[in-house]
Amino acid sequence: MPASRFTQTGNYRTKYQQDQTIFATYAEQLSLIVLIGLLLLLPLILPKTMLRDVNMIMIYAVAVIGLNITTGYTGLINIGQAAFMGVGAYATALAATRLNLPFFLAIPIGGLAGALVGTFVGLPSLRLKYLYLAVATLAFQIIFEWGVGHTPLLAQGGAISLPQVQVLGVKATFFNHNFVWYYLILPVLVVMGLLWRNVLRTKHGRSLIAVRDNDRAAAAMGINPGTAKIMAFMIGSFYAGIAGGLFAYFQKAVVIEDYGLHISIQLLAMAIVGGLGSLPGSFLGPLFIVALDRIVGSGSQWLGSLNIFPAGVDAATALRPLSFGLAIVLFLMFEPRGLANWWRLSRLYFKKWPYKF
Amino acid sequence: MDLLPQLLIAGVVIGSVYALAALGFVLIYKSSRVINFAHGQIIATGAFIAFALTQKGVNFWLAGLIAMLATFLLGMLIERVFLRRMVGEPIIAVIMVTIGLSSVIDGLIHLTPYGAGTFGFERPALLTGQGIELFGLPLSKTQIAGVLMALGLLGGFTYFFNKSTLGITMRAVADDQMAAMSVGTSVERVFALAWAAAGLTAAAAGVILGLMSGLTLGGLAGIGLKVFPVVILGGLDSVVGAIVGGMLIGILENLSAGYLDGIVPGGGTREVFPFIILIIVLLIRPYGLFGTKEIERV
């Protein structure tokens, strides 16, 4: 036991149980509580337009945690996470509009639908590795988009609008929509994050990492790599389904464009920029990508007003993919461990301050 | 009913473009094991360079050649600047670099006036006028010329791989990098050449497609996705597979459009049918028709 439970000056762990604790020190617990407290106050100071972006970041963070489970922790490349989100969103929309279920039942149904479809799509991972699996998930993404576009029940990809929700007597209206949803999304995100931290401590969570690092060695240790891979897809797409359900309510409607291939790529980019296989990275990645998009968006509005581009060129449509692509490429070339590594380094710096090492 | 032969011919016409596009994709994969998600964007770049030149009054054929040279250099540049650093990195990183590059090139094309809207090449004098009719299917001269150009290039590349020293070197590197290095082959040069050759064929595919069915960024870049069913069916590392797969996917997609569109509500099955084939091939025979059987099962 360290002398103080607030600071950790070294590794005093003598039992596996201690090694498995979520929080090493009280300080970590305390900082999480303070962080959540600050986040609870955030909507009171943020302007309304930014609150909308923060909500989007949090929803994407849920999906990116899921993607990190399949791609980051288990090493199965998934170019169809947005399609799993879409499955969840459409399941939620159907549950809410056809079965008239309240949102706190409809969103978990979305998650379960995502998990179900994810398990099915994950089946080829028993036979396929790496590139081939990536191509298979890409095909699923395209088949999903086409399938929705041809199903009358799903409005053929058009908008299915969802009812406004009522929580604790507060009815979400046009004016406080983002505000209400902020307080609904935040707990979900926190729970999903803690849930993943918890799963990671169990043998199931660690078996995923073992399969990623060397599936033959994992098999030799008594892990069934096939089961582990299917489980990774199931958990990952459950997260995506929950994110999709939240997104459906948050956007007040389900449209196929919100779950297209470009969103899948965006989610992958978020996971990579944040740092593959890292929980803080799953929050930092979406934050970075959405912030970049907004900054470039307003920057190109300004550039557009300068009239330096030839006629017929919209600065925003050009600079958005340009900056997005550059961000991915530069991160991969110069900081493959992503923003999570910066986060880790800066934490270390402050922990050890004023000593350098 | 002449429906079947008509569909087959239409399939061969579009299939030859797919084959040409897939050839470049396979070249890159065969030599350096990189899946290139930016291939569609390179195709679009080549096509728009050629189009911009014809707008400036350059002869169509010359413009096509210059565009091919330009994407030849672009391919080399991409390999040298981005992909060579990624050698030995995990597959996901390499894939994401090409996805990032596709986004960058997309943005760059949007910076030109060609990003939005539909354009068409002005037909060169040779290709104007009445075409021929095959089994009741009118084929324009541009379509015939497109198929002939594609087949010519495919034949030329096959010959190049089988006979020229450079082609044999490339095959040697694809076969066994270590062994090729030990006999004094420059692997880097082969990687660069593979990307350059891929760029060249991409521009050719783009120009031919632009000539046959007009130029839009979405349509041209979309070929980059259509390439996946082609190469998986043909085998990821087989040049012959790319050609056969291209033709097969072209034909199958036309057959599905001809026979399934009436049954499936909403139609448009040609968009999705190749990807269903892709899944089936992956489940039954992941290495494709002509690919090397190397996939591991766990």
Side-chain angles (χ1 to χ4, degrees):
Chain A
M1 266 294 146
S4 153
R5 290 294 310 267
F6 279 94
T7 55
Q8 196 181 23
T9 49
N11 194 341
Y12 293 92
R13 290 161 180 171
T14 48
K15 291 187 186 123
Y16 279 123
Q17 266 174 338
Q18 289 171 348
D19 219 20
Q20 283 181 20
T21 48
I22 300 186
F23 302 103
T25 59
Y26 288 148
E28 279 184 22
Q29 263 164 317
L30 201 67
S31 60
L32 182 71
I33 291 167
V34 170
L35 179 70
I36 290 175
L38 285 178
L39 282 176
L40 283 173
L41 296 176
L42 193 65
L44 304 177
I45 46 171
L46 267 187
K48 249 185 191 166
T49 46
M50 275 177 94
L51 192 58
R52 197 188 133 71
D53 289 339
V54 171
N55 280 344
M56 267 177 84
I57 290 169
M58 292 197 298
I59 294 173
Y60 281 137
V62 174
V64 171
I65 296 175
L67 187 60
N68 254 325
I69 293 166
T70 29
T71 305
Y73 287 96
T74 323
L76 308 164
I77 304 170
N78 180 2
I79 318 185
Q81 187 75 347
F84 294 130
M85 256 179 95
V87 170
Y90 278 107
T92 304
L94 289 183
T97 54
R98 305 270 158 160
L99 307 175
N100 290 321
L101 290 178
F103 73 97
F104 51 84
L105 288 179
I107 292 175
I109 284 178
L112 290 178
L116 195 72
V117 175
T119 313
F120 181 70
V121 176
L123 285 178
S125 70
L126 295 179
R127 281 189 57 139
L128 304 172
K129 281 180 89 171
Y130 310 131
L131 291 174
Y132 292 89
L133 187 63
V135 176
T137 53
L138 173 75
F140 167 67
Q141 171 79 48
I142 289 168
I143 293 171
F144 167 77
E145 281 179 52
W146 187 89
V148 169
H150 283 76
T151 314
L153 179 67
L154 305 177
Q156 295 183 322
I160 305 176
S161 31
L162 276 90
Q164 287 282 22
V165 299
Q166 188 165 1
V167 200
L168 303 173
V170 181
K171 196 161 167 52
T173 60
F174 179 74
F175 298 103
N176 64 0
H177 178 78
N178 287 324
F179 194 77
V180 169
W181 274 99
Y182 180 88
Y183 287 106
L184 289 176
I185 298 167
L186 183 64
V188 175
L189 178 61
V190 172
V191 167
M192 297 298 263
L194 282 176
L195 197 69
W196 176 238
R197 262 285 157 87
N198 253 318
V199 172
L200 210 58
R201 300 190 303 159
T202 63
K203 75 170 188 186
H204 301 291
R206 280 176 288 139
S207 74
L208 299 185
I209 297 174
V211 167
R212 172 192 67 186
D213 289 343
N214 189 334
D215 45 10
R216 290 210 181 120
M221 291 196 309
I223 296 166
N224 186 341
T227 324
K229 286 178 177 180
I230 297 286
M231 197 174 68
F233 257 104
M234 197 171 81
I235 304 175
S237 45
F238 174 75
Y239 276 70
I242 295 282
L246 288 173
F247 206 69
Y249 269 107
F250 169 66
Q251 294 281 53
K252 300 175 208 163
V254 187
V255 194
I256 188 66
E257 278 82 26
D258 286 341
Y259 310 99
L261 179 61
H262 60 288
I263 301 291
S264 272
I265 288 173
Q266 224 170 48
L267 292 171
L268 261 177
M270 287 168 179
I272 292 216
V273 168
L276 270 179
S278 123
L279 194 58
S282 307
F283 306 120
L284 295 173
L287 179 69
F288 180 88
I289 295 286
V290 173
L292 179 77
D293 189 67
R294 294 297 178 271
I295 291 168
V296 171
S298 53
S300 47
Q301 232 174 24
W302 175 75
L303 278 175
S305 65
L306 294 181
N307 286 324
I308 49 171
F309 292 106
V313 173
D314 180 33
T317 44
L319 295 181
R320 272 199 177 135
L322 192 63
S323 58
F324 172 73
L326 271 181
I328 305 176
V329 173
L330 293 179
F331 261 101
L332 279 169
M333 289 201 322
F334 299 109
E335 184 55 278
R337 279 181 293 177
L339 290 170
N341 198 36
W342 293 3
W343 169 249
R344 191 180 63 86
L345 291 177
S346 56
R347 258 183 49 167
L348 270 182
Y349 177 82
F350 284 110
K351 219 171 176 178
K352 303 273 193 298
W353 191 85
Y355 306 108
K356 199 111 196 218
F357 294 105
Chain B
M1 268 296 271
D2 285 335
L3 185 60
L4 183 63
Q6 283 184 10
L7 290 173
L8 288 178
I9 293 167
V12 169
V13 170
I14 189 70
S16 57
V17 177
Y18 289 166
L20 203 52
L23 178 67
F25 190 90
V26 165
L27 281 180
I28 293 173
Y29 182 79
K30 197 172 159 69
S31 64
S32 58
R33 307 280 134 171
V34 171
I35 286 265
N36 181 16
F37 273 84
H39 204 63
Q41 275 71 18
I42 299 178
I43 291 174
T45 311
F48 283 122
I49 289 175
F51 179 67
L53 285 171
T54 55
Q55 291 291 89
K56 292 262 184 290
V58 182
N59 175 286
F60 170 77
W61 306 103
L62 185 64
L65 281 180
I66 296 175
M68 280 159 80
L69 186 69
T71 47
F72 182 89
L73 296 175
L74 175 70
M76 245 178 193
L77 183 80
I78 291 177
E79 196 276 335
R80 186 69 194 83
V81 177
F82 299 104
L83 270 304
R84 196 165 297 174
R85 290 163 172 273
M86 303 306 291
V87 171
E89 296 278 329
I91 294 173
I92 170 103
V94 181
I95 287 185
M96 278 313 286
V97 165
T98 62
I99 289 181
L101 281 175
S102 77
S103 194
V104 170
I105 300 176
D106 244 355
L108 288 177
I109 294 177
H110 273 296
L111 273 181
T112 67
Y114 305 115
T118 312
F119 310 91
F121 281 111
E122 207 151 313
R123 302 238 180 288
L126 190 64
L127 301 179
T128 47
Q130 197 65 39
I132 55 165
E133 201 166 289
L134 233 75
F135 296 101
L137 178 76
L139 280 177
S140 66
K141 277 188 181 170
T142 48
Q143 281 172 316
I144 297 165
V147 175
L148 289 181
M149 285 194 297
L151 291 181
L153 277 166
L154 290 171
F157 264 97
T158 318
Y159 182 80
F160 167 77
F161 279 118
N162 288 330
K163 298 291 176 198
S164 77
T165 319
L166 205 55
I168 293 171
T169 317
M170 286 178 85
R171 280 197 295 150
V173 170
D175 217 34
D176 191 334
Q177 281 186 18
M178 201 76 90
M181 269 161 127
S182 70
V183 293
T185 313
S186 162
V187 174
E188 281 95 0
R189 202 171 67 115
V190 168
F191 282 6
L193 265 176
W195 274 85
L200 191 129
T201 51
V207 171
I208 292 171
L209 190 74
L211 193 61
M212 292 198 303
S213 54
L215 298 149
T216 58
L217 178 56
L220 290 166
I223 299 292
L225 284 180
K226 270 284 168 62
V227 158
F228 283 100
V230 173
V231 295
I232 293 288
L233 177 63
L236 259 177
D237 55 357
S238 162
V239 173
V240 183
I243 299 168
V244 176
M247 294 293 174
L248 276 178
I249 291 290
I251 290 169
L252 285 171
E253 120 182 344
N254 268 293
L255 287 180
S256 82
Y259 292 109
L260 293 178
D261 273 7
I263 306 166
V264 178
T269 48
R270 68 182 318 148
E271 304 297 322
V272 77
F273 196 61
F275 289 95
I276 294 172
I277 296 173
L278 185 157
I279 298 265
I280 295 170
V281 173
L282 276 181
L283 289 177
I284 299 171
R285 203 180 153 91
Y287 42 91
L289 295 175
F290 300 96
T292 321
K293 190 173 175 177
E294 55 159 355
I295 196 151
E296 283 179 81
R297 276 171 214 167
V298 200

